[in-house]
Amino acid sequence: MLKRTAYAALGSISPFSLPSLARAIQSSSTPYQRPKLKITDVRTAQVLVHGPQTHVRIYTDQGIYGQGEATDAAVGASSLIRGWRRMLIGLDPLNVEAIWERIRTIGIFAGAQAGQYVCALSGVEIALWDLAGKALGLPIYQLLGGKFRDKVQIYCDSDMDVPIGPEADRKLPWIKAQGFKAMKIDLDDARDPARWDSFNWTATNGEIDRMVKWVSHVHESIPDYMALACDMHGRYDAATGKKVAKALEPFKLMWLEEPCPPEDIDAMTDIRHSTSTPIACGENLYMRWGYRELLDKEAVDIIQPDFEKVGGLAEAQKVANMAQAYYVPVAPHCVVSPIGQMATAHACATFPNFLACEWHWINHQDLWKAWVKEGEIIVNGYVTPPDRPGIGLEMDEEVAKKAQIPGTPWFEPET
């Protein structure tokens, strides 16, 4: 363990000077106390719960490992990570951002701007932070510069096919009873009988009426203190997005999410400036460069980076810091296991413009509650990042293996 002087030095590290982490350790400790770590192996496991996730473990010569998680475009993550393995072996895992930048830059011709490449990199980066925290005896939030809040507000994605009827009657009281102060429903419906065409997503008046009916029902069914967000998943065109945003103004939504495809930033800007309904976007954008135009053009009221695919925890913090310069709050997209949810919470504690973080395992509660040995991590609608080293959670592998994708490795060493 490091001396108190080391902890003091670490506490003074700015989130903008994270590459100095290893230097601070060296200057604040004697050689025999300094962690001397080398990466010895990198392994993965793939699960399927709310979509595919790839779990990453980075092992060292000191018998400790760090665990991370990647999501959504994570099906190809294991192959990418195997390709990086030889380069990572022998490196000092405490140089988190240097390793991140090295992987990013060597992939400039291999898709390192977005998609599977950045998702895989996100899993590796989170595992490095977990490992660094374990090596130094510090929680991740401390390594990222310290916390603004002790607990992180979670909103519940209700994951309902139809938010009117038996499913809603069962879920809405449960969401309220769990202490959530905000929730979300989906508005897109490919099976809507009012649709004219199976490929064109220009909504008819009948579809828009159905959306308004859904929102009205949920709005009337939840307490006044509970905020409601709605998601269109970027499926509709700009004209539809504008109509829906206007039609939903009376309900004072927390936000309307991706009312048009996220790559059409000009259309998103037009929608945002045409309505009082707050517009949110960002789960399908990657790294800080993916958010620059969105913020410059004032296209959104709220951004939604997914920390397990945006590039990792430090990259998410950089995105949040960019957004703060535009007075834009951050509400992370989050569909991962308790491991990734807690890693996200550590980072959410470290920037001032955090709003609320998603939770998306309402349909997988048995797995959720048993995934880690610490048990349930959401209490009265909040997650409290622990003071334990690293992420502060340990996977219960016998439980997690129930969700293993058949035919994929489970943290086996490469042969």
Side-chain angles (χ1 to χ4, degrees):
M1 294 294 291
L2 302 178
K3 287 184 176 180
R4 291 182 181 178
T5 53
Y7 290 106
L10 286 168
S12 67
I13 296 175
S14 162
F16 298 102
S17 62
L18 292 173
S20 66
L21 175 61
R23 292 197 299 274
I25 297 164
Q26 292 171 0
S27 65
S28 304
S29 60
T30 60
Y32 68 88
Q33 291 175 315
R34 186 179 307 145
K36 295 180 179 180
L37 298 172
K38 288 186 178 180
I39 295 173
T40 57
D41 204 358
V42 184
R43 305 175 191 173
T44 62
Q46 297 178 68
V47 300
L48 184 64
V49 186
H50 182 78
Q53 278 89 39
T54 296
H55 288 266
V56 183
R57 284 183 181 170
I58 298 178
Y59 297 82
T60 67
D61 58 351
Q62 298 298 313
I64 58 174
Y65 66 83
Q67 179 147 321
E69 187 171 0
T71 192
D72 282 357
V75 173
S78 290
S79 296
L80 284 163
I81 293 167
R82 282 198 301 271
W84 303 334
R85 176 179 174 273
R86 183 173 298 178
M87 177 194 70
L88 290 170
I89 289 175
L91 296 182
D92 180 352
L94 299 183
N95 292 318
V96 178
E97 290 222 271
I99 292 174
W100 186 93
E101 184 68 3
R102 186 172 181 178
I103 294 173
R104 186 188 74 84
T105 54
I106 65 169
I108 191 170
F109 300 112
Q113 297 77 29
Q116 290 184 344
Y117 197 100
V118 180
C119 285
L121 176 54
S122 301
V124 168
E125 193 260 15
I126 293 170
L128 288 170
W129 282 119
D130 185 42
L131 179 52
K134 289 174 179 175
L136 302 173
L138 293 171
I140 288 177
Y141 71 75
Q142 196 68 65
L143 299 180
L144 292 176
K147 57 185 177 179
F148 284 88
R149 56 193 60 84
D150 292 326
K151 58 183 183 178
V152 171
Q153 180 168 246
I154 306 297
Y155 76 88
C156 178
D157 190 308
S158 60
D159 202 6
M160 290 189 282
D161 290 331
V162 180
I164 294 178
E167 187 178 15
D169 293 343
R170 172 171 49 88
K171 285 185 173 179
L172 293 178
W174 184 90
I175 293 169
K176 174 186 174 182
Q178 297 305 304
F180 291 105
K181 295 181 177 62
M183 62 165 291
K184 185 167 72 177
I185 62 171
D186 299 334
L187 299 183
D188 51 304
D189 185 1
R191 298 164 297 182
D192 192 320
R195 288 190 67 187
W196 284 343
D197 187 275
S198 60
F199 287 94
N200 186 294
W201 280 81
T202 302
T204 65
N205 288 337
E207 289 179 86
I208 295 175
D209 288 345
R210 185 261 305 162
M211 295 182 199
V212 173
K213 182 179 179 181
W214 281 6
V215 173
S216 178
H217 175 77
V218 176
H219 182 265
E220 293 173 4
S221 302
I222 60 177
D224 291 340
Y225 64 78
M226 187 179 291
L228 176 62
C230 296
D231 194 349
M232 298 176 71
H233 286 114
R235 302 187 191 279
Y236 296 91
D237 60 18
T240 297
K242 187 180 290 189
K243 287 181 180 179
V244 173
K246 198 71 177 175
L248 297 181
E249 285 181 349
F251 301 102
K252 298 180 181 179
L253 297 181
M254 186 160 66
W255 66 71
L256 180 63
E257 190 168 330
E258 293 193 336
C260 69
E263 62 269 21
D264 195 343
I265 295 176
D266 288 335
M268 194 81 70
T269 303
D270 183 39
I271 293 170
R272 190 234 167 175
H273 288 280
S274 72
T275 182
S276 62
T277 299
I279 303 301
C281 174
E283 71 176 82
N284 292 308
L285 300 177
Y286 296 86
M287 303 186 293
R288 72 203 84 156
W289 299 278
Y291 292 82
R292 184 171 57 189
E293 186 179 1
L294 194 74
L295 293 167
D296 281 345
K297 290 187 174 181
E298 300 181 341
V300 291
D301 298 280
I302 298 158
I303 60 166
Q304 301 174 295
D306 187 313
F307 295 9
E308 281 69 40
K309 65 191 272 192
V310 75
L313 305 183
E315 190 64 14
Q317 191 182 62
K318 292 181 177 70
V319 171
N321 288 331
M322 283 177 56
Q324 187 187 3
Y326 294 84
Y327 303 98
V328 171
V330 180
H333 177 261
C334 194
V335 297
V336 288
S337 79
I339 299 287
Q341 188 92 42
M342 185 61 79
T344 298
H346 274 280
C348 288
T350 69
F351 48 84
N353 51 328
F354 166 74
L355 178 59
C357 180
E358 184 175 22
W359 175 68
H360 212 313
W361 278 34
I362 190 172
N363 291 337
H364 311 281
Q365 291 182 43
D366 290 342
L367 270 177
W368 173 265
K369 292 176 181 178
W371 195 273
V372 293
K373 294 181 179 179
E374 291 76 10
E376 179 62 79
I377 64 170
I378 302 176
V379 179
N380 293 325
Y382 289 88
V383 167
T384 300
D387 294 328
R388 294 187 295 273
I391 294 174
L393 299 178
E394 183 180 354
M395 176 190 284
D396 187 325
E397 293 197 42
E398 292 306 310
V399 174
K401 273 187 175 182
K402 296 176 182 178
Q404 181 181 5
I405 296 177
T408 60
W410 189 265
F411 301 120
E412 282 96 6
E414 188 171 296
T415 56

